[in-house]
Amino acid sequence: MSKKRLFVLLVLVVFAVAACSRADDPPIVIKDVWARPGSAQRPPAVSAIYMTIENNTSSDDRLLRIETDVTAISEIHQTTIADDIARMRPLEDGLELPANETVILEPGGTHIMLMQLQRDLEVGDTFAIALQFASGATMTVDVPVREQNS
Ligand SMILES: [Cu+2]
């Protein structure tokens, strides 16, 4: 085999490996997503979504907002405890997703708050949400409704 042909072959192998690793490692991975049950008729007509977000890229990103047709209003909330009282506040600039880090949304911590539910969310239901990131990427994820993460 000539040196030129060997070089071309090596270049092809490098491209193939790069393409494979990109396919195997999606930049943002959503895991363990679930939502609490909620009633559209019964106040407060709210629910919350929890998930694990892996940012596998070498760039910081942010989750800006979530859209879903089960509610008119969804906000990214952070729970803080001061003087034994838990308070939720919206993260106006979105949720930080540092490069190569995993961010966990869980009960008592960060969550996606769904307010003014448009329909009931019962255990066993599934609904779709669209996540929008500061990078410009969007993802659609199916969310199962559960009593608790299991
Ligand atoms: Cu909240």
Side-chain angles (χ1 to χ4, degrees), residues 2-144:
S2 72
K3 274 192 177 166
K4 191 178 175 190
R5 285 191 62 154
L6 184 63
F7 176 76
V8 169
L9 192 66
L10 278 176
V11 167
L12 286 175
V13 167
V14 168
F15 271 107
V17 168
C20 285
S21 63
R22 204 170 299 149
D24 290 343
D25 305 317
I28 302 265
V29 178
I30 309 292
K31 288 181 177 170
D32 303 327
V33 59
W34 64 286
R36 286 182 189 282
S39 167
Q41 287 84 34
R42 205 171 54 242
V46 298
S47 177
I49 304 173
Y50 309 99
M51 66 186 76
T52 297
I53 307 176
E54 291 179 2
N55 180 0
N56 296 318
T57 73
S58 50
S59 324
D60 294 343
D61 204 342
R62 263 178 303 129
L63 175 62
L64 293 182
R65 69 185 69 86
I66 289 231
E67 286 181 6
T68 167
D69 59 9
V70 304
T71 180
I73 302 172
S74 69
E75 293 180 349
I76 305 168
H77 279 185
Q78 194 163 53
T79 305
T80 52
I81 297 176
D83 302 326
D84 289 335
I85 299 169
R87 288 190 176 81
M88 303 189 297
R89 71 178 177 88
L91 297 176
E92 305 286 358
D93 298 324
L95 174 63
E96 296 290 338
L97 302 172
N100 296 305
E101 281 191 27
T102 297
V103 174
I104 297 173
L105 286 69
E106 58 190 347
T110 309
H111 55 277
I112 310 295
M113 195 87 195
L114 303 179
M115 287 165 287
Q116 298 179 21
L117 284 176
Q118 304 294 298
R119 71 170 174 89
D120 294 346
L121 298 180
E122 291 171 357
V123 173
D125 288 350
T126 299
F127 61 98
I129 59 172
L131 300 90
Q132 295 182 10
F133 299 92
S135 65
T138 58
M139 280 177 83
T140 304
V141 179
D142 285 332
V143 182

